[in-house]
Amino acid sequence: MNLFCLRFQELSTSQLYDILLLRQQVFIIEQNCIYPDMDAHDHLALHLMMYEENELGAYLRIFPPGIKYSESALGRIVVHPRFRGKTTGKELIQNGINISKKEFPDSSIRIEAQAQLDKYYEKFGFVAEGEIYVVDGIDHLQMVLH
């Protein structure tokens, strides 16, 4: 897969459409969760995309420290259903971690993980912090990678 990491202003209209379509398909339709996906933070993030030919297979946002949390942050971590069960998700997250560490070397990385995925994120070194809480009807957990 081809990897692209761009600032919001660098995204083409096609890339932005692909991102919003994938996020809608998974977070709103598949997970049956009505929430405001366009949260006014996209313009502050780096956008990490993994394409196979012309299809967006995986995506996440990377935030500098001080935007979402005091640490840098990864969010909207999503893999297209067609690319699940392969190494796509692992590659996406590891690339997100690597880019975040390169861009913000003095910062830990925080994620707001769906609680059911805590063991998955632990494999990357993330550690759960605090109690499980509900966001838009889904259990979540704060996790940090130091």
Side-chain angles (χ1 to χ4, degrees):
M1 295 187 98
N2 295 313
L3 188 71
F4 301 93
C5 187
L6 301 172
R7 297 188 184 324
F8 183 78
Q9 298 79 358
E10 299 170 324
L11 295 171
S12 71
T13 53
S14 293
Q15 289 168 325
L16 180 58
Y17 180 84
D18 291 345
I19 290 166
L20 296 175
L21 183 64
L22 179 59
R23 288 176 7 187
Q24 173 186 270
Q25 178 183 356
V26 174
F27 296 134
I28 297 172
I29 297 171
E30 180 182 315
Q31 295 181 356
N32 193 26
C33 182
I34 304 300
Y35 80 106
D37 177 54
M38 291 185 281
D39 61 0
H41 289 104
D42 283 313
H43 69 286
L44 302 172
L46 294 171
H47 299 268
L48 181 59
M49 302 163 283
M50 292 177 65
Y51 276 89
E52 183 171 278
E53 296 187 24
N54 292 326
E55 185 173 15
L56 181 61
Y59 165 84
L60 62 73
R61 302 191 294 190
I62 302 169
F63 287 101
I67 303 292
K68 298 285 276 182
Y69 307 104
S70 60
E71 307 90 348
S72 65
L74 304 182
R76 296 291 198 270
I77 302 168
V78 60
V79 176
H80 189 288
R82 199 167 78 72
F83 295 95
R84 294 179 191 156
K86 304 176 183 180
T87 61
T88 307
K90 291 176 185 173
E91 292 172 29
L92 176 72
I93 295 165
Q94 192 58 61
N95 279 300
I97 290 168
N98 293 346
I99 292 167
S100 188
K101 285 182 176 181
K102 180 181 176 196
E103 293 289 319
F104 317 110
D106 298 327
S107 178
S108 298
I109 303 169
R110 181 173 294 274
I111 60 174
E112 181 178 67
Q114 290 188 6
Q116 66 181 5
L117 297 173
D118 62 339
K119 300 298 182 214
Y120 181 76
Y121 289 116
E122 285 175 358
K123 294 177 185 175
F124 296 94
F126 285 95
V127 176
E129 206 174 71
E131 300 296 318
I132 292 175
Y133 56 95
V134 177
V135 177
D136 300 316
I138 299 172
D139 288 348
H140 282 75
L141 184 64
Q142 292 286 315
M143 299 186 81
V144 178
L145 175 65
H146 295 285

